[in-house]
């Protein structure tokens, strides 16, 4: 039986593909490009992913984006040429995902795009170009929400190439989420009380590659009227050193990047989350916590006005966080009653079913669906 090749290269991709890797079992062949090249961050996630049938690991991080794309396309192309799969699966909008899509196209292998149809309509965002290109190369676009399906249809992607599946982050999170006792232990280890602290993550180039912007974000976080836990991304740590902003970190509770269950425990217990991460915007809708999204634009408008609010770097950060602090218990109860726009159950099963249909296999032969 032909395998299915899943191409990824970052921590979020690996988290979101983990349910599908587990479902495919020995049929899954993972190509990990190493786009995120911080070993500690990678190992924290890799240890929680089910062992696939095959694993090809490369170390392509650290290069310029164009050079990295070229190297990644060649690496994936070599794997596909040596062992032709039934299909290639890519997730999201990274350089690695685009590389997988281009290599699949070059080898005439069916392409499945998980998390298709997201649009920020912000051409300054490199990921926007990636996701558009991947969607138009894909034979199957697995759209998390009806909004994403509408985006694809508006770009003349044929309806028979689109499947609304939900987002695999839902089941990845539910599988990794610690229970109440484990959550309490994580909070105790950091000296935190539930609903009496904030969690922040900052790593996107638009926020950390400019000294003035990064200083603004860190000052806003440091001025908040409650402890702020900051798992420090390696990219952000380097920019803090380069820009001489280390003194600002002393006013925050800086911690190392966390294993996924530990981070979820911190986010679930927080009064509010402040982040520029796309994945966290999805995760809070399952955790039922509010997020202040520090970005120019977002490709996840489904949470705007419910679980999250978009603000640019500046005084709006502090003002919006304080709005969520006016009644923490009340906001927690209200959000708990709202369904996540990213679905329930097992999106990976729906993706596997659509994948099986795409490659025209008998039901239950390629994948154990249902």
């Amino acid at each position: 039986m032909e395998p299915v090749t899943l191409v990824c290269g970052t921590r979020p991709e690996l988290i979101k593909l983990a349910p599908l890797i587990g479902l495919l079992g020995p049929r899954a062949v993972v190509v990990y490009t190493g786009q995120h090249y911080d070993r500690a961050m990678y190992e924290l996630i890799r240890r929680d992913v089910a062992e696939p049938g095959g694993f090809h690991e490369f170390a392509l991080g650290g290069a310029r984006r164009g050079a990295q794309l070229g190297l990644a396309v060649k690496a994936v192309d070599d794997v596909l040429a040596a062992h032709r799969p039934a299909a290639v699966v890519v997730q999201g909008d990274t350089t690695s995902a685009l590389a997988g899509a281009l290599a699949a196209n070059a080898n005439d292998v069916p392409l499945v795009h998980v998390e298709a149809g997201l649009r920020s309509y912000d051409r300054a965002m490199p990921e926007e170009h990636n996701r558009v290109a991947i969607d138009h190369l894909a034979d199957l676009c697995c759209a998390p929400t009806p909004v994403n399906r509408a985006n694809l249809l508006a770009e003349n992607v044929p309806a028979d190439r689109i499947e609304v599946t939900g987002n695999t982050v839902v089941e990845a999170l539910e599988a990794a989420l610690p229970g109440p006792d484990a959550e309490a232990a994580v909070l105790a280890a950091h000296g935190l009380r539930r609903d009496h602290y904030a969690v922040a993550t900052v790593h996107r180039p638009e926020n950390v590659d400019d000294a003035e912007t990064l200083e603004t974000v860190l000052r806003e976080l440091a001025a908040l009227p409650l402890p702020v836990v900051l798992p420090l991304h390696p990219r952000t740590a380097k920019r803090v050193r380069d820009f001489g902003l280390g003194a600002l970190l002393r006013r925050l509770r800086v911690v190392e990047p966390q294993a996924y269950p530990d981070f979820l425990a911190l986010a679930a217990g927080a009064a509010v989350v402040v982040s520029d991460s796309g994945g966290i915007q999805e995760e809070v809708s399952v955790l039922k916590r509010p997020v202040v999204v520090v970005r120019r634009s977002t490709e996840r408008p489904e949470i705007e006005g419910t679980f999250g609010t978009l603000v640019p770097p500046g005084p709006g950060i502090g003002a919006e966080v304080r709005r969520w602090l006016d009644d923490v218990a009340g906001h927690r109860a209200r959000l708990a009653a709202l369904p996540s726009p990213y679905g329930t159950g097992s999106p990976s099963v729906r993706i596997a079913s659509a994948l099986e249909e795409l490659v025209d296999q008998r039901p239950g032969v390629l994948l154990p669906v249902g």
Side-chain angles (χ1 to χ4, degrees):
M1 179 59 58
E2 290 178 342
V4 173
T5 298
L6 302 97
V7 180
C8 58
T10 68
R11 167 185 167 121
E13 288 171 296
L14 201 52
I15 288 171
K16 290 183 176 182
L17 286 175
L20 189 57
I21 293 170
L23 186 62
L24 288 164
R27 298 172 181 86
V29 174
V30 175
V31 178
Y32 189 81
T33 68
Q35 179 180 334
H36 275 187
Y37 52 94
D38 182 85
R39 198 71 193 174
M41 290 185 70
Y42 164 68
E43 291 292 350
L44 286 173
I45 301 304
R46 176 75 173 91
R47 70 188 187 191
D48 292 329
V49 176
E51 194 64 31
F55 195 89
H56 302 270
E57 183 176 351
F58 300 93
L60 306 180
R64 298 186 317 277
R65 187 158 56 96
Q68 188 179 71
L69 176 62
L71 292 169
V73 171
K74 182 182 185 305
V76 179
D77 180 77
D78 289 344
V79 173
L80 299 182
H83 303 284
R84 181 184 175 86
V88 168
V89 177
V90 299
Q91 193 281 330
D93 52 24
T94 65
T95 300
S96 298
L98 180 57
L102 292 170
N105 181 259
N107 285 272
D108 197 25
V109 175
L111 174 66
V112 178
H113 187 199
V114 174
E115 204 172 86
L118 278 66
R119 296 291 184 269
S120 67
Y121 301 103
D122 181 354
R123 290 181 58 80
M125 182 185 295
E127 294 88 348
E128 182 76 357
H129 300 273
N130 292 350
R131 62 177 75 102
V132 171
I134 296 167
D135 282 336
H136 286 270
L137 287 169
D139 299 278
L140 172 62
C141 292
C142 296
T145 73
V147 170
N148 307 141
R149 180 178 186 273
N151 291 340
L152 293 167
L153 292 173
E155 295 176 10
N156 296 316
V157 175
D160 62 3
R161 284 171 45 199
I162 307 169
E163 189 76 24
V164 177
T165 60
N167 195 307
T168 56
V169 73
V170 173
E171 56 195 311
L173 187 154
E174 289 177 347
L177 184 63
D181 291 344
E183 178 191 309
V186 171
L187 268 57
H190 291 282
L192 301 169
R193 286 193 302 143
R194 199 168 206 253
D195 289 341
H196 287 80
Y197 66 95
V199 170
T201 74
V202 186
H203 76 281
R204 295 185 70 85
E206 67 184 82
N207 284 330
V208 305
D209 285 359
D210 175 76
E212 184 177 348
T213 302
L214 180 56
E215 180 177 1
T216 296
V217 172
L218 293 177
R219 286 193 183 280
E220 285 293 307
L221 294 176
L224 293 176
L226 76 176
V228 178
V229 179
L230 177 67
L232 192 59
H233 191 284
R235 179 191 189 99
T236 310
K238 182 178 187 305
R239 295 296 184 268
V240 167
R241 292 193 299 271
D242 292 346
F243 300 147
L245 300 175
L248 291 175
L249 295 184
R250 291 198 288 270
R251 298 163 64 183
L252 304 168
R253 297 201 183 186
V254 176
V255 299
E256 294 293 320
Q258 301 290 291
Y260 192 45
D262 291 350
F263 176 78
L264 292 177
L266 289 171
V272 62
V273 179
V274 183
S275 182
D276 57 12
S277 162
I280 287 175
Q281 293 176 63
E282 299 159 346
E283 289 163 346
V284 295
S285 74
V286 183
L287 296 172
K288 313 304 182 187
R289 305 311 306 127
V291 62
V292 175
V293 182
V294 184
R295 284 169 55 173
R296 295 186 305 261
S297 60
T298 181
E299 61 287 347
R300 293 169 173 85
E302 293 90 345
I303 68 161
E304 184 73 16
T306 54
F307 295 98
T309 308
L310 181 70
V311 297
I317 297 173
E320 190 59 32
V321 169
R322 286 173 173 82
R323 186 178 73 80
W324 286 109
L325 297 178
D326 65 357
D327 179 13
V328 175
H331 290 309
R332 185 179 283 277
R334 180 176 61 82
L335 294 180
L338 298 178
S340 170
Y342 301 107
T344 58
S346 181
S348 65
V349 167
R350 293 189 281 274
I351 292 167
S353 296
L355 171 56
E356 183 170 346
E357 183 176 349
L358 173 68
V359 299
D360 197 27
Q361 297 288 335
R362 297 191 311 276
V365 174
L366 176 64
L367 304 172
V369 176

